[in-house]
């Protein structure tokens, strides 16, 4: 599964593809990766995509979060791609309706061995719309027949568009998030054109 890296691209009247890089092959790294090093897999028209979102991984399976076009309505389903059988599907996840297309530029990371995915972010600066979902999404894909997730809001920072890493220490591991923007604040640098308030890089959320 480590050889896959991609994102959905959707345009009117144009086919959808999942792009990936095969890490078992050789390619130059002294600059931008050549376009011809990328491979593509067609995405069936029955799988609706249209946003950036994030990938969670578990075994040979990719789970695409916040990438479908149900915006702005939250759902309890997730797009699934099996890299071995080359099959796509939409599966139901127990725990609530937490998949929303507008939540697509947050902090994300995966613990592939445990089949766990994490997503932190609101998706819309300033919480301007009632359909925003805040907090930390915890996705459990360890059992493909019993997908689960929760959305923890207690003490979760209201941030977006940063980086996050899973560190395998302690019993359950640790998430470290840094950078991005504070979606509740406005800074002078951005106030004339947007509602972002940049986050001090010295502030690390653990």
């Amino acid at each position: 599964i480590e050889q896959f890296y991609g994102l959905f691209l959707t345009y009117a009247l144009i086919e959808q593809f999942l792009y990936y890089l095969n890490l078992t092959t050789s390619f130059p790294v002294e600059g931008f990766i050549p376009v011809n090093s990328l491979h593509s897999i067609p995405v069936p028209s029955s799988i609706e995509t249209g946003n950036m979102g994030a990938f969670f991984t578990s075994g040979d399976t990719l789970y695409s979060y916040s990438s479908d076009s149900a915006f702005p309505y939250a759902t309890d389903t997730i797009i699934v791609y099996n890299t071995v059988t080359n099959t796509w599907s939409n599966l139901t996840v127990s725990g609530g309706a937490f998949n929303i297309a507008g939540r697509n530029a947050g902090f994300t990371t995966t613990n592939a061995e445990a089949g766990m995915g994490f997503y932190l972010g609101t998706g819309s600066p300033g919480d301007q719309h009632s359909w925003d979902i805040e907090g930390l999404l915890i996705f459990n894909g360890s059992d493909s027949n019993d997908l689960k997730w929760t959305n923890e809001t207690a003490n979760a920072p209201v941030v977006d568009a940063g980086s996050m890493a899973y560190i395998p220490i302690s019993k359950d591991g640790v998430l470290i998030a840094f950078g991005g923007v504070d979606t509740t604040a406005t800074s002078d640098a951005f106030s004339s054109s947007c509602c972002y308030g940049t986050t001090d890089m010295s502030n690390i959320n653990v």
Side-chain angles (χ1 to χ4, degrees), residues 4-79:
F4 284 86
Y5 171 81
L7 54 109
F8 293 115
L9 299 177
T10 305
Y11 302 95
L13 304 180
I14 297 180
E15 291 183 291
Q16 305 174 100
F17 293 93
L18 170 67
Y19 292 88
Y20 70 94
L21 182 65
N22 189 337
L23 300 182
T24 65
T25 61
S26 298
F27 49 86
V29 294
E30 296 81 9
F32 293 110
I33 296 175
V35 174
N36 59 10
S37 294
L38 292 176
H39 305 272
S40 63
I41 299 170
V43 179
S45 59
S46 59
I47 302 297
E48 296 185 4
T49 67
N51 292 277
M52 295 179 290
F55 281 127
F56 304 140
T57 61
S58 177
D60 298 313
T61 305
L62 292 175
Y63 297 93
S64 179
Y65 175 72
S66 189
S67 61
D68 65 36
S69 56
F71 180 85
Y73 306 106
T75 71
D76 62 353
T77 61
I78 195 167
I79 296 173

Side-chain angles (χ1 to χ4, degrees), residues 23-200:
L23 300 182
T24 65
T25 61
S26 298
F27 49 86
V29 294
E30 296 81 9
F32 293 110
I33 296 175
V35 174
N36 59 10
S37 294
L38 292 176
H39 305 272
S40 63
I41 299 170
V43 179
S45 59
S46 59
I47 302 297
E48 296 185 4
T49 67
N51 292 277
M52 295 179 290
F55 281 127
F56 304 140
T57 61
S58 177
D60 298 313
T61 305
L62 292 175
Y63 297 93
S64 179
Y65 175 72
S66 189
S67 61
D68 65 36
S69 56
F71 180 85
Y73 306 106
T75 71
D76 62 353
T77 61
I78 195 167
I79 296 173
V80 182
Y81 174 66
N82 187 300
T83 63
V84 174
T85 61
N86 191 31
T87 55
W88 296 86
S89 58
N90 282 291
L91 296 182
T92 299
V93 186
S94 64
F98 297 128
N99 197 352
I100 186 167
R103 194 182 189 187
N104 58 16
F107 301 66
T108 184
T109 190
T110 289
N111 175 2
E113 291 185 0
M116 302 292 292
F118 307 92
Y119 191 93
L120 174 66
T122 63
S124 292
D127 194 22
Q128 299 173 358
H129 307 285
S130 60
W131 36 257
D132 283 347
I133 299 178
E134 300 176 357
L136 173 67
L137 180 89
I138 302 174
F139 171 78
N140 187 339
S142 58
D143 182 351
S144 60
N145 296 313
D146 186 23
L147 302 178
K148 303 174 183 178
W149 57 23
T150 60
N151 196 73
E152 307 292 340
T153 57
N155 301 318
V158 186
V159 291
D160 216 6
S163 297
M164 184 162 62
Y166 170 83
I167 310 299
I169 58 176
S170 76
K171 180 181 178 181
D172 298 317
V174 174
L175 296 175
I176 297 179
F178 57 93
V181 295
D182 178 352
T183 58
T184 65
T186 301
S187 69
D188 294 338
F190 292 90
S191 59
S192 61
S193 60
C194 189
C195 39
Y196 287 149
T198 54
T199 302
D200 191 328

